[in-house]
Amino acid sequence: MDTMDVSQGIISLVTSNMARAIRVVSVRKGYDPRDFTLVAFGGAGPLHAARLAKELNIPRVLVPEVPGILCALGLLVTDIRSDYTLTRIMVADKKAATEVKAIFRELEASANEWLNHEGVQEKDRLYRYSVDIRYRGQNYELKVPLEPGDLIAGEISRLIRRFHLLHEQNYGYFAEEEPTQLVTFCLEAVGCVPRAALNRYPKDGPDSQHALESMRRVFLEEAGGFIECPVYRREALQNGNVISGPAILEQMDSTTLILPGQEAVVDHFRNIIIHIFGQNSAKGAS
């Protein structure tokens, strides 16, 4: 085989494997990828994202300003959290509501002890409740959010209705006549902390020529072979700049590829938003 054909085959195989992994957490769980934006981070994420989005009919890709350190940035803008669980299998009927309330009071006591130790004030505390539920006889459960007011009336019918809908979303059916079991009770305790401020950059025009660094001979299967491809300095791009594919954006920690027929726009946080045009989808890019 020709060297470029072999190289492209490797890339196509990698793209297929990553697309399959994304389908596991989207399509197979009842979510339509066309409803989402693909966030590309890390060193290699922006290099593959345009092809992945095209493969999955995802209308947009978001590449952060510094994708290689996005995980570190996450530590500066996220709250602290700890999860508390208790497993106690019971039939999901009206009598269970009292016991469920008692279980969550026990979990809240543990969560409050941790939040006190972390010095989180009462006004900065947030609790999220959920229950792992299954049909009797199943060996797997679904995590169902427990919303405020679900147990006020002393019964759990709203929670069970939500389980049926979630079961249908994940598996394509629900069995309303089947008895259900409450298995594990989960409390997510959150301590809200001050956020690191993100810079908002002033608006510039659409012209991105000031960031053009060079033209490079690049092999792109989507362009039919070797082409002269523009290469941009990512750090020179400003809010409002537009880049039409094919194009390559280079920076210290990553490389972003924009395919032919795609267009990228820089937003006010200097994220790159790649619009995936030409999708065979009624929910195409907006």
Side-chain angles (χ1 to χ4, degrees):
M1 293 180 67
D2 177 81
T3 301
M4 301 313 299
D5 290 338
V6 173
S7 301
Q8 182 59 52
I10 293 170
I11 292 174
S12 299
L13 181 60
V14 168
T15 301
S16 177
N17 287 339
M18 288 189 287
R20 186 181 304 114
I22 292 174
R23 288 189 182 99
V24 168
V25 297
S26 59
V27 177
R28 295 188 187 178
K29 292 186 178 294
Y31 297 103
D32 188 341
R34 295 174 297 177
D35 294 334
F36 295 87
T37 296
L38 181 64
V39 179
F41 60 95
L47 189 62
H48 296 285
R51 287 192 172 105
L52 271 172
K54 186 177 179 181
E55 174 81 12
L56 294 163
N57 277 339
I58 297 174
R60 287 170 302 277
V61 173
L62 186 151
V63 183
E65 182 181 10
V66 196
I69 60 170
L70 185 67
C71 292
L73 174 63
L75 293 175
L76 302 177
V77 297
T78 192
D79 298 318
I80 61 172
R81 192 189 89 180
S82 186
D83 296 324
Y84 299 86
T85 62
L86 190 151
T87 296
R88 189 173 297 166
I89 299 174
M90 65 183 73
V91 177
D93 56 20
K94 291 183 178 182
K95 295 182 293 185
T98 300
E99 189 170 358
V100 171
K101 290 179 181 178
I103 289 173
F104 278 114
R105 281 196 295 269
E106 181 179 340
L107 295 176
E108 286 170 358
S110 299
N112 281 322
E113 183 178 349
W114 171 71
L115 290 167
N116 288 335
H117 178 73
E118 293 293 329
V120 178
Q121 299 182 19
E122 291 281 349
K123 65 180 180 63
D124 295 324
R125 299 181 184 187
L126 176 66
Y127 302 103
R128 299 188 184 100
Y129 306 84
S130 62
V131 183
D132 292 350
I133 306 177
R134 68 187 181 193
Y135 291 119
R136 188 174 63 188
Q138 285 182 321
N139 59 359
Y140 55 87
E141 299 84 37
L142 289 174
K143 186 173 294 295
V144 183
L146 183 68
E147 297 180 355
D150 279 351
L151 303 178
I152 289 179
E155 48 95 11
I156 57 174
S157 59
R158 289 170 54 180
L159 180 66
I160 301 307
R161 283 197 299 271
R162 203 171 299 122
F163 165 71
H164 290 316
L165 293 174
L166 192 60
H167 198 280
E168 183 179 29
Q169 176 183 317
N170 278 267
Y171 303 111
Y173 76 97
F174 68 95
E176 197 168 13
E177 71 284 355
E178 290 292 327
T180 52
Q181 291 179 319
L182 311 180
V183 180
T184 300
F185 303 86
C186 312
L187 171 63
E188 178 185 321
V190 178
C192 301
V193 299
R195 303 289 200 278
L198 299 179
N199 292 327
R200 298 175 70 99
Y201 294 89
K203 186 78 171 180
D204 194 13
D207 186 9
S208 58
Q209 289 303 301
H210 61 278
L212 182 62
E213 187 169 60
S214 65
M215 299 295 292
R216 186 179 302 162
R217 193 165 181 260
V218 174
F219 181 89
L220 282 178
E221 182 184 49
E222 295 82 358
F226 281 99
I227 61 167
E228 289 297 315
C229 184
V231 179
Y232 294 86
R233 288 184 295 111
R234 170 70 192 273
E235 62 272 16
L237 292 169
Q238 300 295 324
N239 175 16
N241 290 174
V242 178
I243 306 100
S244 297
I248 293 172
L249 314 182
E250 289 186 333
Q251 60 191 110
M252 181 274 293
D253 59 321
S254 187
T255 299
T256 301
L257 173 64
I258 304 170
L259 295 177
Q262 299 176 353
E263 184 177 83
V265 181
V266 184
D267 72 3
H268 55 267
F269 289 120
R270 287 171 69 173
N271 298 310
I272 300 293
I273 311 297
I274 304 174
H275 295 277
I276 313 299
F277 299 137
Q279 302 287 33
N280 297 321
S281 164
K283 296 184 179 181
S286 59

